[in-house]
Amino acid sequence: MNAKNLKLLYEGKAKKIFEFTENEVIIFFKDDVTAFNGLKKDSLSGKGKINKKISKFFFDMLEKENIPTHFIKDIDENSFLAKKGKIIPLEVIVRNYTAGSFCKRYGLKKGIKFKNPILEYSLKNDELGDPMICKNIILSLNLIENNLLEKIENYSLKINNIISNFLLEKNLILVDYKLEFGINNNEIFLADEISPDTCRFWDKNTMESFDKDIYRENKGNLIDKYKEFLRRINL
Ligand code: UDP
């Protein structure tokens, strides 16, 4: 992609967003990887194109199941065209098994399956370290209308079923993941990415990770694991 003539709207830890038209942006996936709120940081050659490929794959899958996403069309190995919209300042976290911060918070070992998926929210705010927030506070602060929040919850749980079922066929489990949503003309759509940077994927039998925990926990070569994940899902 020739980004020279495009206006950079936003640069995050793992992506750059360029203005394309009034209603469209180009999402560019960088090779940068960070953990612990940016305290650990590296650039791993090839990560951007892998995450773009996986995100496009899942967005396609979800669109077919009537989940609106921001994906419009492919641009190149590292970028795709996406709908422009206002990003809702919430991170939706869905958990099927205990892992990560949930284990720390409640002193639990990892890998316990929940009776039902757990849905949590964080307020998107790097300075505050994305604090957890509950539905009550979200609505009381008027961050979003109730009917739109319900839509987000429905989409988030439907996404859980679609991706979990797909992965189970490959003997993989969707442990937990983070979603972000955008809004345009009162229409909610899934935005951001769905990748091993934002999800935990484990082998069903061995609990081996194919996600950013490899980097967080210094458990080996992240790119090799992401490539193995690509092979496991036949991409
Ligand atoms: N997650 C994310 N971005 C965040 C926080 C969490 O993509 O800013 C993802 C994370 O990769 C995992 C899930 O959301 O798949 C749950 O993360 P958790 O709350 O356990 O936090 P972590 O252990 O990653 O700090």
Side-chain angles (χ1 to χ4, degrees):
M1 188 204 35
N2 183 0
K4 260 185 276 177
N5 304 316
L6 297 174
K7 183 180 162 200
L8 180 68
L9 290 179
Y10 173 80
E11 178 159 5
K13 295 190 201 94
K15 292 186 292 297
K16 286 182 187 174
I17 317 287
F18 295 95
E19 184 157 53
F20 190 62
T21 65
E22 203 186 324
N23 299 311
E24 296 163 322
V25 290
I26 288 177
I27 316 263
F28 177 88
F29 287 72
K30 306 196 290 185
D31 284 339
D32 295 355
V33 55
T34 65
F36 314 118
N37 218 358
L39 283 179
K40 182 172 171 172
K41 196 173 169 199
D42 283 282
S43 177
L44 301 176
S45 176
K47 196 203 70 143
K49 68 179 188 191
I50 295 175
N51 278 1
K52 188 234 110 179
K53 195 172 184 177
I54 295 172
S55 292
K56 177 200 174 317
F57 175 75
F58 283 128
F59 284 142
D60 277 345
M61 179 185 289
L62 296 173
E63 286 277 356
K64 283 186 192 128
E65 302 280 347
N66 297 317
I67 308 270
T69 79
H70 70 159
F71 179 84
I72 300 174
K73 69 169 190 184
D74 235 353
I75 301 275
D76 62 22
E77 279 197 314
N78 281 78
S79 30
F80 61 68
L81 190 67
K83 284 179 212 159
K84 196 172 175 175
K86 199 175 136 266
I87 293 292
I88 294 159
L90 292 173
E91 297 191 339
V92 184
I93 306 226
V94 181
R95 303 178 187 274
N96 295 304
Y97 291 79
T98 54
S101 71
F102 193 93
C103 291
K104 275 205 206 103
R105 204 191 305 151
Y106 298 112
L108 294 168
K109 68 175 182 11
K110 74 171 195 177
I112 303 166
K113 191 174 195 296
F114 297 117
K115 199 167 145 200
N116 294 114
I118 290 176
L119 197 146
E120 299 173 343
Y121 296 102
S122 294
L123 182 69
K124 253 176 85 74
N125 185 321
D126 278 343
E127 257 172 59
L128 299 177
D130 300 336
M132 274 187 76
I133 189 166
C134 69
K135 217 167 156 173
N136 230 331
I137 302 177
I138 293 171
L139 295 174
S140 298
L141 290 179
N142 233 344
L143 295 180
I144 183 170
E145 280 170 40
N146 194 16
N147 66 316
L148 296 178
L149 193 61
E150 271 175 16
K151 212 166 214 179
I152 286 179
E153 286 201 7
N154 287 337
Y155 285 151
S156 300
L157 293 173
K158 201 171 161 199
I159 290 167
N160 194 30
N161 286 333
I162 296 165
I163 299 185
S164 293
N165 289 339
F166 165 79
L167 291 176
L168 259 187
E169 283 174 19
K170 318 285 177 200
N171 214 34
L172 293 164
I173 50 178
L174 178 59
V175 174
D176 58 26
Y177 56 96
K178 185 261 301 182
L179 302 174
E180 293 183 26
F181 290 86
I183 185 165
N184 193 4
N185 292 326
N186 238 27
E187 285 301 315
I188 296 278
F189 53 84
L190 179 65
D192 199 46
E193 65 183 292
I194 299 188
S195 76
D197 273 18
T198 59
C199 304
R200 285 192 172 93
F201 303 121
W202 291 351
D203 179 280
K204 185 171 182 285
N205 303 114
T206 65
M207 283 168 67
E208 182 191 359
S209 299
F210 294 94
D211 54 59
K212 205 164 87 172
D213 275 348
I214 301 292
Y215 177 76
R216 292 188 189 99
E217 298 168 13
N218 299 311
K219 282 198 298 199
N221 185 310
L222 184 86
I223 299 296
D224 286 349
K225 283 290 168 204
Y226 281 23
K227 283 185 178 162
E228 205 177 325
F229 179 74
L230 284 177
R231 280 195 295 277
R232 293 275 300 253
I233 63 169
N234 306 318
L235 252 188

